[in-house]
Amino acid sequence: MHVRYRCELIIERMAAPRACRILEEAGLTGYTVLPAISGLGRQTRWNRDADISASSDMVVVVSIGAQEQIEAALKEIESLLSNHIGVLSIGEVNVLRPDRF
Amino acid sequence: MHVRYRCELIIERMAAPRACRILEEAGLTGYTVLPAISGLGRQTRWNRDADISASSDMVVVVSIGAQEQIEAALKEIESLLSNHIGVLSIGEVNVLRPDRF
Amino acid sequence: MHVRYRCELIIERMAAPRACRILEEAGLTGYTVLPAISGLGRQTRWNRDADISASSDMVVVVSIGAQEQIEAALKEIESLLSNHIGVLSIGEVNVLRPDRF
Amino acid sequence: MDIALATLLSPIVLFFLLGLGAALLRSQMTIPEAFAKGLAIYLMMSIGLKGGVEISKGQLGWDAGLVMMSAVGLSFLLPVLAFALLRLTTRLDRIDAAAAAAHYGSISIVTFVAAGQAVAAAGLEAAGYLVAVAALMEVPAIISALVIANRGGARSEAVAGSDKGELAREVLLNASVVVLLGALVIGWITGEAGMQAVAPFFVTPFQGVLCLFLLDMGLSAGRGLRNGWRQLGPGTIAFGVYMPLVSALLAAGVAALNGMPAGDAALLITLAASASYIAVPAAMRLAMPKARPSIYLTLSLGITFPFNLILGLPLYIWLAKMVSAGVA
Amino acid sequence: MDIALATLLSPIVLFFLLGLGAALLRSQMTIPEAFAKGLAIYLMMSIGLKGGVEISKGQLGWDAGLVMMSAVGLSFLLPVLAFALLRLTTRLDRIDAAAAAAHYGSISIVTFVAAGQAVAAAGLEAAGYLVAVAALMEVPAIISALVIANRGGARSEAVAGSDKGELAREVLLNASVVVLLGALVIGWITGEAGMQAVAPFFVTPFQGVLCLFLLDMGLSAGRGLRNGWRQLGPGTIAFGVYMPLVSALLAAGVAALNGMPAGDAALLITLAASASYIAVPAAMRLAMPKARPSIYLTLSLGITFPFNLILGLPLYIWLAKMVSAGVA
Amino acid sequence: MDIALATLLSPIVLFFLLGLGAALLRSQMTIPEAFAKGLAIYLMMSIGLKGGVEISKGQLGWDAGLVMMSAVGLSFLLPVLAFALLRLTTRLDRIDAAAAAAHYGSISIVTFVAAGQAVAAAGLEAAGYLVAVAALMEVPAIISALVIANRGGARSEAVAGSDKGELAREVLLNASVVVLLGALVIGWITGEAGMQAVAPFFVTPFQGVLCLFLLDMGLSAGRGLRNGWRQLGPGTIAFGVYMPLVSALLAAGVAALNGMPAGDAALLITLAASASYIAVPAAMRLAMPKARPSIYLTLSLGITFPFNLILGLPLYIWLAKMVSAGVA
Ligand SMILES: Nc1ncnc2c1ncn2[C@@H]1O[C@H](COP(=O)(O)O)[C@@H](O)[C@H]1O
Ligand SMILES: Nc1ncnc2c1ncn2[C@@H]1O[C@H](COP(=O)(O)O)[C@@H](O)[C@H]1O
Ligand SMILES: Nc1ncnc2c1ncn2[C@@H]1O[C@H](COP(=O)(O)O)[C@@H](O)[C@H]1O
Ligand code: NA
Ligand code: NA
Ligand code: NA
């Protein structure tokens, strides 16, 4: 197996397309978006089913990629997170078929 | 980037608020709860859409934090898991803006 | 705490039961399936709410296990992924109660 | 027996059987949880409103008050009985037995509705305040079961992370209590006039929505049975069938003592005989996390619910007629 | 006042209060988001269709055109006023104030519907084209607010990853604009004849669906208040109550100038007085991500919406009668 | 042509076009999957029940049996034809061509319903057993396509992790087969009497629900087209238009041979001409995972469905009239 990176971005639902565009432009070969149902942050406490406006909903964007692409995305994501609410974390993982990332 | 920890707790939906209170009291700055749709354990095999009582539903609580806070939460979570169904795993991740955790 | 492995398989919803059977047969003690809402790959761009056929939906199968069991599952999963769309990644995590995995 | 056949061939029972059959044949079809939960709230609003409007027409007298108090008493009492029977006849431990017992003291609102329709089909009438009785019977059984479970040796310590009020809120303010009682009061306030505006949504299509909901219940019951029946011994399975009969007899006695008319008696008997499968399971996960859902749910949803729906209802109506005839 | 009491005791208000109360008492009950979103789309289709059919019956004259233009003007203007008031009387910064102001220039379709029912209950009539007015008033306020926010010092740079057209698409093609205007045009095209086929779904059960939706809104408003009220100072809370009155007075002036009949005037006044809580919050997350939802949502959904629903509507109808009487 | 215009201006077609337009303009609006799936189940229950009640009124004779058998034959046969045409005229490989072919042998239940309404609007009548025909035509095409795909060189090995029965269960017990056939049988058993109780839910609002569902289908079709059309060559796109015509002609022949009345013939022709977009795609993911959904879905939902809905239906009714006139 081969070392790659798992980038996990917890971000506002409305801002997720922006994050995804950044990942795509940085050359990452894919991502998957997961829904979240509630959360707590330093400023917010939200719950999907309890807010009809859905304006505080978060989602989780997961993208497995090579170091190079993830580094290429980092600066733009940092800039995105200066405007939008979100948390980025990157972990090391092993993958099959390394040429795909 | 800076090393922090990603704590992932797969736990019964009804017990998730208890887990979240533990995290909050241990000083973690946030968490996000994701829904799950089905699963298998040593005792259970469940499926969200196939059980009208929803009493076996699980959720996943993700919290990124510093070692200190996570360690502070560990004992209480262990106690919670002696009553409730759940699986805890902790991985190392890199984050931006380390002061936030 | 004790080292175990977190296996995360992003896979087509229709193929998830196949992946789960493989995990179960390899001796993993459990797994949890999370829904996804949208994604991008080398060939696909999908969105759960925007496709009435749901034929491109993906889910994420998470399984925490010991090295041995995960290695036992790897070959079959590789074969599964030669037919079905999906991404496998494996990360190192720490767990409580190691005898459970 | 005509009522029995009519019950069996009613669309709601047939759709339940369709779901049950599909699940047992391992069909993968599902009805999305979010949709089913929405339907459940609709059903409870509708039942509450109709009950409230009925109440607004007449007057709640002493007799209704007495019935309500007896019903609360039944809900407190039945779990004690159920627990004793389970401990005597099965190998379930104290916790599992107490949790299962809670379900049998509480009620199933869908069974109640099906009974209402069977009662109407049998040419009987039922009073609106029975909806309030249903709502009142949801909770006491949970308290009984908690007391029973805690008496056993080691006092239960608070679970880590638990909040003082959370169990009370879950038990007293769960969706079915809030919506049922809330809609009842709203129906009471707005009366027939207010109902007219919302009847095309809450009254006319009710039966059809119920069919859809019962299809989902059939799927749930079938899957529960398929996954869970192995964990139930023959004693436990038998309990799922005779316990409703025991409760029905007790409730028939209460109905006789209160001199209830046949329609009302049938509903009270059904409430006693029915077992909860939404509100109580949720409360049990909080209050007795170590009790196994695979036991109490398979019992309540997989065995008692179908039994009541298909065989129980005609029996309870017959029983109610006996009782009220004896009274009159 | 009879209208006030009738409003307060209508099922929709009572279900809103039920939800509000349950949330304030910290009940955990929820209505699944997917179900509520489906209902919201149903409501907008229904409103649009009915408006379109009304339009198809008569003729859209110059006067309707003038009202539409005035309404668009109001939607542009109100945020300027709201922003000035917020900056003068509260400590909100420019961004938070501009974002909140956008909500008050835009509209709440549920408030509009409730006004329609109160208008009918008061024996008045309203023209179908007011639905088009509602749709037209959704967007201009957002543009105003953006201009206001950007004038303050540092020109806003594009947020990383943002796409040129995305804000325009979100604002001009959000669900409520698409469905409301789309259904309006469809109702217009198919007219009374086409409506007949779909009326049993879109017309008859409408009021009941609204009850269910308002239960959910009550839950949302209650939870918003509980989590958010601490962040609102007394000045901000007061704004949530007096701003709708200010808007109502302005709209009453516009109605007088246009010589609108009482029913139409009441709806226009209500639109002006109402504040958005779905479309504008979403747009704000894209356009002004730094503005805090806990401020603007608590204000709009937690304070202004209940105020309008319970106290505002009778007032606006009374105001509309005054205005149209003065005109006549 | 009057029928053509009436079809084009019917609310369901207009809502489809609204969704299609919004998606092509890149609106982000969506209808939640859970809600749409719930509606889909409602629609199938309703269709099944109505068909069953119709059957219960008359008698299923030999002629109905013959039509059913011919329809099953058609469903087996059409994929062979579709496959051959695709391989001759496009660059799709064996797997992609076989998967697409399966869709054209199977059916679209929404197209069937729209045809039913167009048939009624044209003053014709259709027999209830056609619903059974629809259900019977879902599956055979999948079997044909599997045979075709497997004949090509390397026998398909079992995919890792696959379970022997899973494909059969998915194909024979998917939601649409279970609900359609189940409701049909239930309608048959309970007959007109049982239907009365549930008609206010399953019959009266049906058309309106269909509008909402078609709005969602328009959104899906539009997004599918936008993402997928680049992958379709002109030959493939042309296939999406001429294949339904080919199927229609074949079915017209079958209708003539069976001497079917015009209304029945129109429905059979429509079934043949329609292409599946829910059941078959799901089956294909299991059975031929390497076939690309972007091909078969864009074809079936993005091209053939709109073509049938807007242009095809009037044509098929005209064809059916010709055929039955020739017969009579
Ligand atoms: N440390 C964290 N771990 C996981 N999720 C977080 C964390 N901090 C914030 N979040 C998520 O981000 C949202 C906004 O956080 P904040 O901006 O801190 O209010 C929260 O509601 C959570 O869903
Ligand atoms: N090893 C595991 N990896 C991931 N999820 C697990 C694991 N074990 C258990 N789970 C989840 O926890 C639930 C209960 O597990 P158990 O208590 O073992 O029956 C299962 O249904 C799964 O959703
Ligand atoms: N690198 C990746 N990281 C996360 N998810 C991915 C990745 N690549 C693909 N996916 C997911 O897998 C689906 C199919 O990918 P593909 O087979 O590359 O078209 C995508 O739509 C994503 O949901
Ligand atoms: Na009971
Ligand atoms: Na306004
Ligand atoms: Na076909």
Side-chain angles (χ1 to χ4, degrees):
Chain A
M1 300 198 74
H2 307 261
V3 172
R4 288 292 179 277
Y5 296 87
R6 178 181 186 274
C7 161
E8 179 180 273
L9 181 57
I10 304 174
I11 193 163
E12 307 181 57
R13 188 179 51 79
M14 291 296 296
R18 291 176 174 172
C20 292
R21 276 186 218 109
I22 292 176
L23 297 175
E24 200 176 343
E25 276 160 28
L28 283 150
T29 55
Y31 54 76
T32 300
V33 183
L34 314 186
I37 47 181
S38 64
L40 171 78
R42 285 156 315 142
Q43 317 209 0
T44 53
R45 186 185 290 282
W46 66 276
N47 183 310
R48 182 186 62 179
D49 287 338
D51 172 12
I52 210 166
S53 82
S55 65
S56 302
D57 285 13
M58 309 286 289
V59 298
V60 180
V61 183
V62 173
S63 183
I64 316 285
Q67 191 163 8
E68 197 185 343
Q69 277 78 40
I70 291 201
E71 267 166 15
L74 267 189
K75 226 193 99 206
E76 285 286 283
I77 288 188
E78 192 156 14
S79 151
L80 181 70
L81 292 184
S82 71
N83 283 289
H84 281 289
I85 295 174
V87 176
L88 174 74
S89 66
I90 296 174
E92 222 178 88
V93 291
N94 289 294
V95 299
L96 302 168
R97 307 180 295 173
D99 47 300
R100 306 217 159 189
F101 303 95
Chain B
M1 299 199 75
H2 307 260
V3 171
R4 288 291 178 280
Y5 296 88
R6 178 181 186 275
C7 161
E8 179 180 273
L9 181 58
I10 304 175
I11 193 163
E12 307 181 58
R13 188 178 52 78
M14 290 299 293
R18 290 177 175 171
C20 292
R21 274 185 220 112
I22 292 175
L23 297 176
E24 200 174 343
E25 275 160 28
L28 282 150
T29 55
Y31 54 76
T32 301
V33 184
L34 314 187
I37 45 180
S38 64
L40 170 79
R42 286 156 314 141
Q43 318 210 358
T44 53
R45 186 185 289 281
W46 66 277
N47 183 310
R48 184 186 61 180
D49 288 337
D51 171 12
I52 210 165
S53 82
S55 65
S56 303
D57 285 13
M58 309 286 288
V59 297
V60 180
V61 183
V62 173
S63 183
I64 316 287
Q67 190 164 8
E68 199 185 341
Q69 277 78 39
I70 291 199
E71 266 165 16
L74 266 189
K75 225 192 99 206
E76 285 285 283
I77 288 187
E78 192 157 12
S79 150
L80 181 69
L81 292 185
S82 72
N83 284 289
H84 282 289
I85 296 174
V87 176
L88 175 73
S89 66
I90 296 175
E92 222 178 88
V93 291
N94 289 293
V95 300
L96 301 168
R97 306 180 296 171
D99 47 302
R100 304 218 159 187
F101 302 96
Chain C
M1 299 198 76
H2 307 260
V3 172
R4 288 292 178 279
Y5 296 87
R6 177 181 185 275
C7 161
E8 180 180 274
L9 181 58
I10 303 174
I11 193 163
E12 305 182 59
R13 188 179 52 78
M14 291 298 294
R18 291 177 174 171
C20 292
R21 275 185 220 110
I22 292 176
L23 298 175
E24 200 175 343
E25 276 159 28
L28 283 151
T29 55
Y31 55 76
T32 302
V33 184
L34 314 187
I37 46 180
S38 63
L40 170 77
R42 286 157 313 143
Q43 316 211 0
T44 53
R45 186 186 289 282
W46 67 276
N47 183 310
R48 184 187 60 180
D49 288 337
D51 172 12
I52 213 167
S53 81
S55 66
S56 302
D57 284 14
M58 309 287 288
V59 297
V60 180
V61 183
V62 173
S63 183
I64 316 286
Q67 191 164 6
E68 199 185 341
Q69 277 77 39
I70 292 200
E71 268 167 15
L74 267 188
K75 225 193 100 208
E76 285 286 282
I77 289 188
E78 193 157 12
S79 151
L80 181 69
L81 292 185
S82 72
N83 283 290
H84 281 290
I85 296 174
V87 177
L88 174 75
S89 66
I90 296 175
E92 220 178 271
V93 291
N94 289 294
V95 300
L96 300 167
R97 309 182 292 174
D99 47 301
R100 305 218 159 187
F101 302 95
Chain D
M1 225 171 122
D2 273 5
I3 300 184
L5 197 70
T7 307
L8 194 61
L9 296 184
S10 75
I12 59 174
V13 172
L14 292 173
F15 274 109
F16 177 79
L17 293 176
L18 176 61
L20 194 75
L24 291 177
L25 290 171
R26 299 180 61 192
S27 161
Q28 293 300 108
M29 84 157 280
T30 55
I31 294 179
E33 184 206 25
F35 194 75
K37 229 179 130 187
L39 293 187
I41 288 175
Y42 163 87
L43 294 175
M44 291 183 298
M45 282 175 87
S46 169
I47 298 161
L49 278 172
K50 282 184 274 186
V53 170
E54 282 310 309
I55 295 179
S56 80
K57 286 186 197 163
Q59 229 157 311
L60 272 192
W62 276 108
D63 43 350
L66 281 176
V67 171
M68 286 186 193
M69 273 165 27
S70 331
V72 167
L74 263 180
S75 178
F76 269 118
L77 180 73
L78 289 175
V80 180
L81 203 64
F83 178 78
L85 288 168
L86 280 170
R87 292 288 278 170
L88 281 174
T89 64
T90 72
R91 294 187 178 180
L92 296 185
D93 67 16
R94 170 172 285 271
I95 295 290
D96 278 337
H103 292 69
Y104 285 83
S106 185
I107 60 117
S108 146
I109 203 75
V110 172
T111 315
F112 175 73
V113 168
Q117 306 200 335
V119 160
L124 302 173
E125 285 197 354
Y129 79 90
L130 266 299
V131 174
V133 172
L136 289 174
M137 288 181 77
E138 292 222 20
V139 172
I142 299 174
I143 300 170
S144 277
L146 284 177
V147 173
I148 295 171
N150 284 342
R151 286 193 51 186
R155 217 57 225 284
S156 73
E157 294 169 54
V159 171
S162 60
D163 178 21
K164 248 198 322 189
E166 74 181 338
L167 183 59
R169 283 198 302 274
E170 179 62 36
V171 167
L172 298 173
L173 294 174
N174 66 46
S176 92
V177 170
V178 167
V179 176
L180 217 50
L181 284 185
L184 188 92
V185 171
I186 292 175
W188 197 347
I189 296 177
T190 64
E192 191 87 43
M195 193 63 173
Q196 248 165 33
V198 298
F201 181 63
F202 285 119
V203 180
T204 354
F206 183 82
Q207 287 242 39
V209 178
L210 202 58
C211 288
L212 186 37
F213 194 73
L214 274 156
L215 174 60
D216 194 29
M217 289 200 55
L219 291 166
S220 265
R223 294 213 174 89
L225 270 182
R226 226 183 49 223
N227 292 336
W229 72 269
R230 254 171 294 240
Q231 304 195 30
L232 303 185
T236 320
I237 293 177
F239 173 87
V241 173
Y242 69 70
M243 183 64 212
L245 299 176
V246 172
S247 307
L249 284 176
L250 266 176
V254 169
L257 283 178
N258 281 288
M260 294 171 78
D264 297 8
L267 292 194
L268 182 71
I269 293 172
T270 304
L271 285 173
S274 72
S276 172
Y277 46 74
I278 297 188
V280 177
M284 288 302 113
R285 293 319 297 151
L286 276 189
M288 304 187 200
K290 285 187 171 160
R292 286 172 288 168
S294 52
I295 304 283
Y296 52 70
L297 260 184
T298 314
L299 255 181
S300 144
L301 185 58
I303 296 176
T304 301
F305 178 75
F307 170 75
N308 277 334
L309 188 67
I310 298 170
L311 300 176
L313 289 189
L315 213 63
Y316 305 150
I317 290 178
W318 174 82
L319 199 60
K321 281 182 182 164
M322 292 295 102
V323 161
S324 73
V327 169
Chain E
M1 227 171 120
D2 273 5
I3 300 184
L5 197 70
T7 306
L8 193 61
L9 296 185
S10 76
I12 58 173
V13 172
L14 292 172
F15 274 109
F16 177 78
L17 293 176
L18 176 61
L20 193 75
L24 291 177
L25 291 170
R26 300 179 61 191
S27 161
Q28 293 301 108
M29 84 158 279
T30 54
I31 294 179
E33 185 207 26
F35 193 75
K37 228 178 131 187
L39 294 187
I41 288 173
Y42 162 86
L43 294 174
M44 291 183 299
M45 283 175 88
S46 168
I47 298 161
L49 279 172
K50 281 185 275 187
V53 169
E54 282 310 308
I55 295 180
S56 80
K57 286 185 201 166
Q59 228 158 314
L60 273 191
W62 277 108
D63 42 349
L66 281 176
V67 171
M68 287 187 192
M69 272 162 32
S70 330
V72 168
L74 264 179
S75 179
F76 270 118
L77 180 73
L78 290 174
V80 180
L81 203 64
F83 178 77
L85 288 167
L86 281 170
R87 292 288 277 171
L88 280 174
T89 65
T90 73
R91 295 191 177 175
L92 296 186
D93 67 16
R94 169 171 287 271
I95 294 290
D96 278 336
H103 292 70
Y104 285 83
S106 184
I107 60 117
S108 146
I109 203 74
V110 172
T111 315
F112 174 73
V113 168
Q117 306 200 335
V119 159
L124 301 174
E125 284 198 355
Y129 78 90
L130 267 298
V131 174
V133 172
L136 290 174
M137 287 180 79
E138 292 222 19
V139 172
I142 299 174
I143 300 170
S144 277
L146 285 176
V147 173
I148 295 170
N150 284 342
R151 287 192 50 186
R155 217 59 224 288
S156 72
E157 296 169 52
V159 172
S162 61
D163 178 20
K164 248 197 322 187
E166 75 181 336
L167 182 59
R169 283 196 303 272
E170 179 63 35
V171 167
L172 298 173
L173 293 175
N174 66 47
S176 93
V177 171
V178 166
V179 176
L180 217 50
L181 284 185
L184 187 93
V185 171
I186 292 175
W188 197 347
I189 296 178
T190 63
E192 192 87 43
M195 193 65 172
Q196 249 166 32
V198 299
F201 180 62
F202 285 118
V203 179
T204 354
F206 183 82
Q207 287 242 40
V209 179
L210 201 58
C211 288
L212 186 38
F213 194 73
L214 274 155
L215 174 60
D216 194 30
M217 288 200 57
L219 291 166
S220 266
R223 292 211 176 91
L225 271 181
R226 226 182 50 221
N227 291 337
W229 71 270
R230 254 172 294 241
Q231 303 195 31
L232 303 185
T236 320
I237 293 177
F239 173 86
V241 174
Y242 69 70
M243 184 64 210
L245 299 176
V246 172
S247 308
L249 284 175
L250 267 176
V254 169
L257 285 176
N258 282 288
M260 293 171 78
D264 296 9
L267 293 193
L268 182 71
I269 293 171
T270 305
L271 285 173
S274 73
S276 172
Y277 46 73
I278 298 187
V280 176
M284 288 301 112
R285 293 319 297 152
L286 276 190
M288 303 187 201
K290 285 185 171 162
R292 287 173 287 169
S294 52
I295 304 283
Y296 52 69
L297 259 185
T298 314
L299 255 181
S300 146
L301 184 58
I303 296 177
T304 301
F305 179 75
F307 170 76
N308 277 334
L309 188 68
I310 298 170
L311 301 176
L313 290 188
L315 213 64
Y316 305 150
I317 291 179
W318 174 80
L319 199 61
K321 281 183 182 163
M322 291 296 102
V323 161
S324 74
V327 168
Chain F
M1 226 170 121
D2 273 6
I3 299 185
L5 198 69
T7 307
L8 193 61
L9 296 185
S10 76
I12 58 173
V13 172
L14 292 172
F15 274 109
F16 177 78
L17 293 175
L18 176 62
L20 193 75
L24 291 177
L25 291 170
R26 301 179 60 193
S27 162
Q28 294 300 109
M29 84 158 278
T30 54
I31 293 178
E33 184 206 25
F35 193 75
K37 228 177 130 188
L39 294 187
I41 288 174
Y42 163 87
L43 293 175
M44 291 183 299
M45 284 174 86
S46 169
I47 298 161
L49 279 172
K50 281 184 275 186
V53 170
E54 283 309 308
I55 294 180
S56 80
K57 285 184 199 167
Q59 227 158 314
L60 273 191
W62 277 108
D63 41 352
L66 281 177
V67 171
M68 287 186 192
M69 272 162 32
S70 331
V72 168
L74 264 180
S75 178
F76 269 118
L77 179 74
L78 289 175
V80 181
L81 202 63
F83 179 77
L85 287 167
L86 280 169
R87 292 288 277 172
L88 281 173
T89 65
T90 72
R91 295 191 177 175
L92 296 186
D93 66 14
R94 168 171 286 271
I95 295 290
D96 278 336
H103 293 69
Y104 284 82
S106 185
I107 60 116
S108 146
I109 203 73
V110 172
T111 315
F112 174 73
V113 168
Q117 305 200 336
V119 159
L124 301 174
E125 285 198 354
Y129 79 89
L130 266 298
V131 174
V133 172
L136 289 175
M137 287 180 78
E138 292 223 21
V139 172
I142 299 175
I143 301 171
S144 277
L146 284 176
V147 173
I148 295 170
N150 284 342
R151 287 192 49 187
R155 216 60 226 284
S156 74
E157 296 170 52
V159 172
S162 61
D163 178 21
K164 246 197 324 187
E166 73 181 338
L167 182 59
R169 283 198 303 274
E170 180 62 36
V171 166
L172 297 173
L173 293 174
N174 65 46
S176 93
V177 170
V178 166
V179 176
L180 217 50
L181 284 185
L184 188 93
V185 171
I186 292 175
W188 197 347
I189 296 178
T190 64
E192 191 88 41
M195 192 63 172
Q196 248 165 32
V198 299
F201 181 63
F202 285 119
V203 180
T204 355
F206 182 82
Q207 287 242 39
V209 179
L210 201 58
C211 289
L212 187 36
F213 194 73
L214 274 155
L215 174 60
D216 194 30
M217 289 201 55
L219 291 166
S220 266
R223 292 210 177 91
L225 271 182
R226 226 182 52 223
N227 291 336
W229 70 270
R230 255 172 293 241
Q231 305 196 30
L232 303 186
T236 320
I237 293 178
F239 173 86
V241 174
Y242 69 70
M243 183 64 210
L245 299 177
V246 172
S247 309
L249 284 176
L250 267 176
V254 169
L257 283 178
N258 281 288
M260 294 172 78
D264 297 7
L267 292 193
L268 182 71
I269 293 172
T270 305
L271 285 173
S274 73
S276 171
Y277 47 73
I278 298 188
V280 176
M284 288 302 114
R285 293 319 296 152
L286 276 189
M288 303 187 201
K290 285 185 171 162
R292 286 173 288 168
S294 51
I295 304 283
Y296 52 70
L297 259 184
T298 314
L299 255 182
S300 144
L301 184 57
I303 296 177
T304 301
F305 178 75
F307 170 76
N308 277 335
L309 188 68
I310 298 170
L311 301 176
L313 291 188
L315 212 65
Y316 305 150
I317 291 178
W318 174 82
L319 199 61
K321 281 184 184 163
M322 292 295 102
V323 160
S324 73
V327 169

